[in-house]
């Protein structure tokens, strides 16, 4: 049995649009928030984790960020899988703590795509990677790529637009209780299907919000936790699996969650049947559907039927994204893995919004960063209340 | 098969020493793939070393024939030429195996279906030795 590691602090920035702030300012605000939440002093931080800062490419991120934040650390990691990075960072921090490299790991995310007027899902961008010359030039954007995944899933498994819409409807049902959510009005399956087509077969309401903001987590060792009065959440298992185009053999109906979920469940000694709450990355409705299948909550191809009838609502069989998720509440900096972990922590601490609070002792947080149609980082965490392991 | 339409003003590929020959072949109406004889594997996108075994690859001519693996029709796309919308972004599974990202052209987007047979056509860019393969119903 490896040394227990805990999430002691979690903070989601309340903003969804921050034209008056800089991105690094938001990093500092969420860092302070997570430290306050845990009751840990800044001087105790000895490890720092973040992914790239969107408007600062080639920034030597760990140097730039520790300098700005005034952190004196012994360990840093800037693994960048896109939106799932922060789910991975929790696992990396747990490993570093168990290796004796550090005791208090701070993870921060911030971004301002809304204030910067960034065309996130439907916009082309300059060519950066070797693959862009074979993908971006054809108009491969987030929404066209996830649209292709949705169409292929529909073709192979008979999944319908109405079934995808169930996912948005459940998220919107939860968002009505979140005063910080960008979209707080519940929507019906019909309203999702009737919303404008962005990239066929995906509609506008199949897509996540574009929001400014951020969040932070504090991961600590057993020794540090013993000194805290705050309820902590135990990190039970972690897995991650970057999946790619595989020289042309890609199957866009399945994700890296097949592997990352397997790893996380094995480490925790648990199975999907033990999960009482799930935060599942929801860049698009199809992102959720494929992950639900790949994590083993139902058989491959059965996701459409699985989500029908309110399964994903707080009072359903698999309560998911009770904050409203990226679809309705927040997708800070186009990177939603952070808020996935934060809402799972809230659920386990009993700090979710009362109308959507479950009695979960075991929660899952899953990230899908990048594109399921080309390459993405899948990362899965299993979290539990103290003593649940 | 050549196409009278040109590629511009769409984004141009970055041509590298590793991919120069691929784009030049396209300007002569040929779709090239990388091929690893050790693995008997056709590879896309092209690269100098086989991603399965790291042996050096050779160039192989594709038939340019395949079927639609999936597609999405973009009704709007910021930064994309208006006259090129709606845009059909697709994966075509070549007869040689690889699934390649591309556009489907020369037909009504409403008439495209998964598994349709398609073949490559080539659109010349403003650079003489760079053309871009796209696909149309065959």
């Amino acid at each position: 049995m490896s040394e227990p590691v805990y999430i002691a602090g979690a903070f989601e920035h309340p903003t969804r649009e921050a034209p008056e702030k800089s991105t690094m300012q938001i990093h500092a605000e969420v860092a302070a928030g997570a430290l306050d939440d845990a009751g840990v002093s800044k001087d105790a931080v000895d490890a720092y984790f973040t992914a790239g800062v969107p408007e600062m490419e080639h920034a030597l991120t760990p140097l730039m960020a520790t300098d700005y934040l005034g952190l004196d650390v012994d360990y840093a990691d800037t693994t960048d899988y896109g939106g799932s990075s922060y789910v991975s960072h929790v696992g990396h921090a747990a490993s570093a703590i168990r290796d004796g490299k550090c005791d208090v790991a701070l993870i921060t995310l911030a971004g301002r795509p809304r204030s910067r007027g960034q065309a996130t899902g439907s916009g082309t961008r300059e060519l950066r990677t070797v693959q862009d010359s074979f993908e971006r030039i054809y108009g491969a954007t987030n929404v066209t790529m996830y649209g292709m995944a949705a169409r292929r899933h529909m073709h192979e498994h008979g999944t319908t637009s109405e079934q995808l819409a169930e996912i948005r409807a459940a998220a919107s049902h939860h968002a009505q209780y979140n005063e910080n959510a960008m979209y707080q009005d519940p929507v019906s399956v019909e309203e999702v299907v009737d919303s404008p087509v962005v990239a066929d077969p995906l509609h506008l309401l199949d897509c996540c919000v574009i929001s400014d903001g951020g969040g932070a987590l504090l991961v600590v060792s057993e020794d540090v936790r013993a000194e805290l009065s705050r309820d902590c959440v135990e990190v039970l298992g972690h897995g991650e699996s970057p999946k790619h185009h595989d020289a042309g053999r890609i199957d866009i109906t399945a994700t890296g969650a097949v592997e990352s979920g397997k790893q996380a469940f094995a480490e925790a000694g648990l199975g999907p049947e033990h999960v009482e709450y799930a935060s599942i990355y929801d860049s698009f409705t199809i992102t959720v559907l494929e992950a639900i299948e790949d994590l083993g909550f139902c058989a491959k191809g059965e996701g459409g039927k699985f989500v029908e009838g309110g399964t994903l609502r707080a009072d359903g069989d698999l309560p998911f994204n009770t904050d409203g998720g990226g679809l309705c509440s927040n997708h800070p900096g186009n990177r939603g893995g952070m808020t996935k972990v934060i809402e799972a922590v809230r659920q386990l601490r009993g700090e979710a919004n009362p109308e959507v609070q479950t009695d979960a002792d075991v929660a899952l947080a899953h990230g899908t960063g990048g594109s399921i149609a080309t390459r993405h980082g899948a990362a899965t965490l299993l979290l539990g209340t103290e003593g649940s392991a | 098969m050549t196409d009278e339409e040109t590629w511009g003003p769409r984004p141009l590929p970055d041509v590298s020493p590793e991919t120069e020959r691929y784009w030049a072949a396209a300007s002569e109406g040929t779709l090239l793939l990388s091929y690893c004889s050790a693995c008997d594997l056709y590879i896309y996108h092209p690269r100098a070393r086989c991603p399965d075994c790291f042996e050096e690859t050779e160039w192989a001519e594709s038939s340019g024939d395949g079927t639609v693996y999936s597609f999405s029709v973009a009704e709007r796309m910021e930064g994309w030429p208006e006259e090129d919308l709606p845009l059909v972004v697709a994966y075509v599974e070549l007869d040689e195996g690889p699934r390649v990202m591309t556009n489907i052209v020369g037909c009504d987007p409403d008439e495209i279906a998964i598994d349709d047979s398609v073949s490559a056509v080539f659109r010349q860019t403003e650079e003489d030795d760079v053309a871009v393969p796209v696909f149309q119903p065959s």
Side-chain angles (χ1 to χ4, degrees):
Chain A
M1 183 81 192
S2 55
E3 180 199 338
V5 171
Y6 300 89
I7 298 176
F11 180 78
E12 179 183 7
H13 205 292
T15 193
R16 301 295 185 265
E17 186 162 19
E20 76 288 6
K21 294 179 191 292
S22 81
T23 296
M24 290 313 296
Q25 181 180 359
I26 297 172
H27 273 279
E29 290 177 1
V30 296
L35 288 165
D36 281 352
D37 182 53
V40 171
S41 76
K42 177 173 177 289
D43 292 344
V45 174
D46 60 1
Y48 177 67
F49 295 70
T50 193
V53 180
E55 65 261 49
M56 298 184 206
E57 273 108 35
H58 319 296
L60 306 181
T61 304
L63 300 178
M64 180 276 293
T66 54
D67 182 347
Y68 180 91
L69 296 170
L71 296 173
D72 296 317
V73 299
D74 304 315
Y75 196 92
D77 175 349
T78 52
T79 299
D80 191 353
Y81 289 136
S84 61
S85 303
Y86 314 88
V87 180
S88 291
H89 291 162
V90 173
H92 296 188
S95 295
I97 288 169
R98 288 179 180 132
D99 280 351
K101 303 284 189 189
C102 53
D103 287 293
V104 179
L106 173 67
I107 307 168
T108 67
L109 154 72
R112 300 167 60 254
R114 191 167 191 85
S115 291
R116 293 167 65 218
Q118 193 179 335
T120 297
S122 63
T124 56
R125 59 162 168 78
E126 63 190 66
L127 306 185
R128 291 175 189 154
T129 70
V130 65
Q131 289 93 356
D132 284 348
S133 291
F134 300 92
E135 296 166 0
R136 288 259 159 207
I137 65 161
Y138 294 112
T141 61
N142 287 334
V143 71
T144 53
M145 289 193 282
Y146 281 82
M148 282 198 284
R151 186 183 304 279
R152 186 71 197 184
H153 201 282
M154 291 171 169
H155 176 77
E156 290 191 21
H157 302 298
T159 309
T160 65
S161 291
E162 286 75 13
Q163 289 170 333
L164 291 176
E166 290 270 4
I167 295 166
R168 173 69 178 234
S172 76
H173 178 74
H174 301 150
Q176 68 180 311
Y177 305 112
N178 181 354
E179 63 180 11
N180 293 321
M182 266 187 73
Y183 300 119
Q184 297 176 10
D185 292 336
V187 296
S188 65
V189 166
E190 292 69 32
E191 284 172 291
V192 179
V193 174
D194 289 344
S195 66
V197 170
V198 179
D200 185 48
L202 295 178
H203 305 81
L204 185 63
L205 296 185
D206 285 300
C207 309
C208 65
V209 305
I210 296 171
S211 53
D212 299 344
L217 296 162
L218 203 69
V219 184
V220 304
S221 65
E222 172 82 58
D223 287 349
V224 171
R225 186 208 60 89
E227 302 298 315
L228 301 178
S229 53
R230 189 75 167 98
D231 278 351
C232 293
V233 164
E234 189 170 347
V235 180
L236 304 176
H238 155 253
E240 64 187 52
S241 177
K243 184 185 170 185
H244 54 67
H245 181 244
D246 198 19
R249 293 165 289 190
I250 189 170
D251 170 4
I252 62 178
T253 67
T255 71
V258 172
E259 291 303 322
S260 68
K262 198 183 297 174
Q263 294 166 21
F265 281 121
E267 187 174 314
L270 298 170
E273 68 277 14
H274 298 111
V275 174
E276 296 161 299
Y277 165 79
S279 286
I280 299 179
Y281 204 99
D282 53 350
S283 48
F284 299 93
T285 51
I286 184 65
T287 323
V288 178
L289 193 88
E290 290 199 9
I292 283 174
E293 297 173 345
D294 296 340
L295 291 166
F297 291 113
C298 64
K300 193 72 214 171
E302 297 293 317
K305 286 195 187 70
F306 181 84
V307 301
E308 285 179 339
T311 307
L312 300 179
R313 290 198 186 197
D315 58 357
D317 288 344
L318 183 67
F320 107 120
N321 297 8
T322 41
D323 55 347
L327 288 169
C328 299
S329 172
N330 197 12
H331 192 227
N334 303 325
R335 289 161 175 260
M338 173 63 73
T339 45
K340 295 291 156 291
V341 181
I342 291 172
E343 181 66 3
V345 170
R346 288 193 195 110
Q347 278 287 347
L348 293 172
R349 283 173 160 178
E351 296 171 359
N353 291 308
E355 298 85 351
V356 295
Q357 177 67 53
T358 70
D359 55 4
D361 286 314
V362 174
L364 176 146
H366 179 75
T368 310
S371 171
I372 51 178
T374 51
R375 63 201 70 79
H376 63 272
T380 310
L381 281 179
L382 283 159
L383 304 172
T385 52
E386 291 187 69
S388 63
Chain B
M1 182 172 177
T2 55
D3 193 10
E4 288 184 4
E5 294 220 24
T6 56
W7 181 248
R10 300 162 192 85
L12 286 175
D14 285 333
V15 178
S16 77
E18 192 182 11
T19 61
E20 198 173 15
R21 188 158 160 194
Y22 171 88
W23 302 111
S27 72
E28 291 161 8
T30 300
L31 178 61
L32 288 185
L33 297 170
S34 296
Y35 176 72
C36 175
S37 54
C39 298
D40 188 23
L41 178 69
Y42 289 93
I43 293 155
Y44 187 89
H45 60 90
R47 66 204 84 169
R49 293 263 174 176
C50 171
D52 276 17
C53 72
F54 281 167
E55 291 295 323
E56 288 187 20
T57 61
E58 54 199 85
W59 290 105
E61 284 190 21
S62 164
S63 62
D65 296 327
T67 55
V68 174
Y69 172 70
S70 196
F71 65 101
S72 177
V73 183
E75 304 288 342
R76 50 176 124 170
M77 189 176 304
E78 288 179 61
W80 200 263
E82 276 290 320
E83 64 270 27
D84 199 36
L85 294 173
L87 176 72
V88 183
V89 181
Y91 263 123
V92 165
E93 183 172 300
L94 293 172
D95 287 354
E96 293 82 6
R99 291 169 181 161
V100 308
M101 200 173 287
T102 189
N103 297 133
I104 307 290
V105 301
C107 62
D108 183 338
D110 289 339
E111 290 169 6
I112 300 169
I114 286 177
D115 292 338
D116 280 0
S117 294
V118 290
S119 54
V121 291
F122 300 89
R123 297 208 156 161
Q124 193 60 43
T125 70
E126 61 206 42
E127 305 288 332
D128 285 346
D129 50 0
V130 178
V132 176
V134 293
F135 287 77
Q136 66 182 22
S138 53

